[in-house]
Amino acid sequence: MDRDLYDDVHEQYRETVREFLEREVVPNHARWEEERWIDRSVYVEAAKQGIYGLQIPEEYGGADEHDYRFRFVVAEEIAKVHALSFALTVSLQDDLVLHYLLDLTTDEQKQRWLPGFAAGELIGALAMTEPGAGSDLRGMSTSARRDGDDWILNGQKTFISSGIMADLVVVAARTDPEAGSKGYSLFVVERGMPGFERGRKLDKIGLPAQDTAELYFEDVRVPRENLLGTEGRGLQHLMSHLPRERLGVSIKAIANCRTIFEETRRYCFERKAFGQPIGDFQAVRFELAELATEIDIVQAYVDKSVVAYNAGKLTAVDAAKGKWYVSELQKRVVDQCLQLHGGYGYMSEYPVARAFLDTRIQTIYGGTTAIMKEIIGRDLAG
């Protein structure tokens, strides 16, 4: 299907991204997966090449470029080299943490943090989920109380992407138990603050190189200068940034769908059984036809969502529709493509086998499929 989403400048940028990935990521990714750790130096080089952080204003070292199509190009190219652990960290920086720092910071905070992000020297994380509170953010028990001009933070977070590597962690905490939804605030906790401890690096079934951690806060003294946004509006700040996060999940999902499908299509016309390529059997052709159709149709929705985001018109409901449907499609596409590979699909040397594990989380993080349907359903109910 022809797409008219991109201009020449995006295709020129694509070549820059490809060259960066071939030089800095492809030769190292297998080692990162084995070591369960991505070299920090790659983010310095990525930032230098404009692979992420393009939206940062020029005065802080960025390009002040807000066209989300560049972000989509990056997602597509990383998918093609099957570096999904790296893809998640880039998405975490570009689609989550950075936008909290761009949208909610004071001028003084921007001066402190944005130059480091623009240089790839500061890595961020977002800490919402707790052992007893996942999708139900109002159930969080992490708290912060005033002590003079500072805040004293106590609590625990879990499943925090880049929790070990992060230099800055945006932490959601309850600041007024009596204020309902207006009783939550966001704080930036920095590496080295007394009382801030990182727990074990969690052992996941997929995305091994992307570190995920438990975080502990015991009487962490957070200066008032590290309050992010408006006191008491933490939940609202979180909600307002979810469409960007969910669009990020959608673009990664559709990019991976197409990559795995194209590899499987080629495999089906190279692999022979009963004297002919397996793709010459009607049952296999029909299955490929169904997958190709679904991917093209969903691609159109994601492309439209990117255009809407650029125009400031992507709603939370439309982002939720894309997030659940594209991530569920990804799960189905990868599973069917693995089946078409037969026994080879179960071998970890094949990208489809690794994708089977790496993509399973897509229907969970950023809001589960059930939560996305609840958001859409509430909107339909008025």
Side-chain angles (χ1 to χ4, degrees):
M1 180 181 69
D2 291 333
R3 297 167 64 198
D4 57 2
L5 181 67
Y6 297 120
D7 297 329
D8 289 345
V9 66
H10 301 105
E11 298 305 332
Q12 294 167 8
Y13 177 69
R14 189 184 299 278
E15 291 304 315
T16 298
V17 177
R18 284 175 178 166
E19 191 277 333
F20 163 80
L21 293 171
E22 288 298 325
R23 185 181 73 249
E24 302 291 341
V25 176
V26 172
N28 296 306
H29 197 261
R31 174 175 58 83
W32 295 342
E33 298 278 88
E34 184 177 346
E35 295 176 354
R36 298 176 60 221
W37 186 256
I38 298 173
D39 297 336
R40 286 189 63 117
S41 59
V42 75
Y43 300 109
V44 175
E45 188 62 26
K48 187 184 302 182
Q49 297 297 320
I51 304 304
Y52 74 97
L54 290 175
Q55 311 94 314
I56 297 174
E58 292 181 6
E59 61 189 292
Y60 305 112
D64 203 17
E65 175 57 71
H66 297 267
D67 183 350
Y68 195 77
R69 289 176 293 180
F70 290 104
R71 173 78 191 90
F72 203 175
V73 167
V74 172
E76 289 175 337
E77 293 307 311
I78 297 179
K80 290 175 184 176
V81 299
H82 311 292
L84 299 190
S85 292
F86 178 69
L88 178 55
T89 306
V90 169
S91 181
L92 173 68
Q93 302 309 303
D94 236 13
D95 292 323
L96 276 81
V97 179
L98 181 55
H99 280 265
Y100 285 84
L101 299 184
L102 288 171
D103 299 342
L104 301 176
T105 44
T106 64
D107 289 341
E108 185 274 334
Q109 290 172 332
K110 286 182 170 65
Q111 291 285 355
R112 266 197 288 157
W113 297 323
L114 289 183
F117 259 84
E121 296 168 354
L122 285 183
I123 301 297
L126 180 62
M128 293 189 289
T129 303
E130 298 183 3
S135 298
D136 178 17
L137 294 177
R138 289 179 174 84
M140 74 175 67
S141 59
T142 298
S143 64
R145 60 176 175 82
R146 285 185 179 276
D147 185 53
D149 287 339
D150 300 334
W151 294 84
I152 305 300
L153 180 69
N154 282 282
Q156 177 183 354
K157 301 290 183 178
T158 194
F159 307 143
I160 307 306
S161 298
S162 294
I164 301 292
M165 183 177 287
D167 304 290
L168 306 175
V169 182
V170 177
V171 181
R174 187 187 294 268
T175 47
D176 186 350
E178 308 301 321
S181 63
K182 296 181 180 179
Y184 302 83
S185 302
L186 302 181
F187 300 90
V188 175
V189 176
E190 302 184 59
R191 179 186 295 278
M193 284 185 170
F196 170 35
E197 301 290 341
R198 301 162 207 259
R200 62 193 176 98
K201 187 189 298 184
L202 299 176
D203 190 8
K204 313 187 295 291
I205 65 170
L207 300 168
Q210 209 290 319
D211 69 286
T212 304
E214 298 170 324
L215 304 180
Y216 299 92
F217 309 93
E218 184 175 354
D219 292 332
V220 179
R221 182 170 292 276
V222 182
R224 65 177 180 179
E225 292 82 10
N226 281 35
L227 174 70
L228 188 63
T230 303
E231 178 185 342
R233 290 190 56 82
L235 283 185
Q236 290 85 344
H237 292 327
L238 293 172
M239 295 300 113
S240 67
H241 286 80
L242 285 173
R244 166 87 181 210
E245 176 183 1
R246 289 164 181 165
L247 179 60
V249 175
S250 295
I251 65 169
K252 293 199 304 292
I254 193 63
N256 189 251
C257 280
R258 191 167 292 283
T259 293
I260 294 299
F261 171 77
E262 288 299 334
E263 292 211 353
T264 302
R265 181 182 64 80
R266 288 193 295 271
Y267 176 86
C268 287
F269 292 99
E270 293 170 356
R271 173 71 171 168
K272 291 186 177 182
F274 304 102
Q276 65 184 48
I278 63 173
D280 285 345
F281 291 100
Q282 187 182 65
V284 173
R285 288 205 307 272
F286 277 19
E287 193 163 352
L288 291 173
E290 290 173 4
L291 293 176
T293 301
E294 286 190 273
I295 291 170
D296 278 356
I297 289 172
V298 172
Q299 180 85 67
Y301 185 89
V302 177
D303 287 358
K304 183 178 179 181
S305 296
V306 169
V307 172
Y309 179 82
N310 273 352
K313 296 179 180 179
L314 181 66
T315 67
V317 171
D318 287 343
K321 289 176 180 177
K323 195 276 173 185
W324 88 259
Y325 196 88
V326 188
S327 62
E328 291 287 350
L329 173 66
Q330 178 185 20
K331 189 169 66 174
R332 190 168 69 253
V333 166
V334 172
D335 183 68
Q336 290 179 255
C337 287
L338 189 153
Q339 186 72 23
L340 288 169
H341 275 77
Y344 290 105
Y346 204 63
M347 300 296 108
S348 59
E349 65 190 87
Y350 279 75
V352 69
R354 300 193 299 274
F356 184 77
L357 296 176
D358 288 344
T359 63
R360 184 59 186 86
I361 188 62
Q362 292 274 90
T363 61
I364 298 173
Y365 64 19
T368 65
T369 293
I371 293 296
M372 297 302 97
K373 291 179 180 179
E374 179 65 15
I375 290 170
I376 299 162
R378 286 182 181 181
D379 180 68
L380 294 173

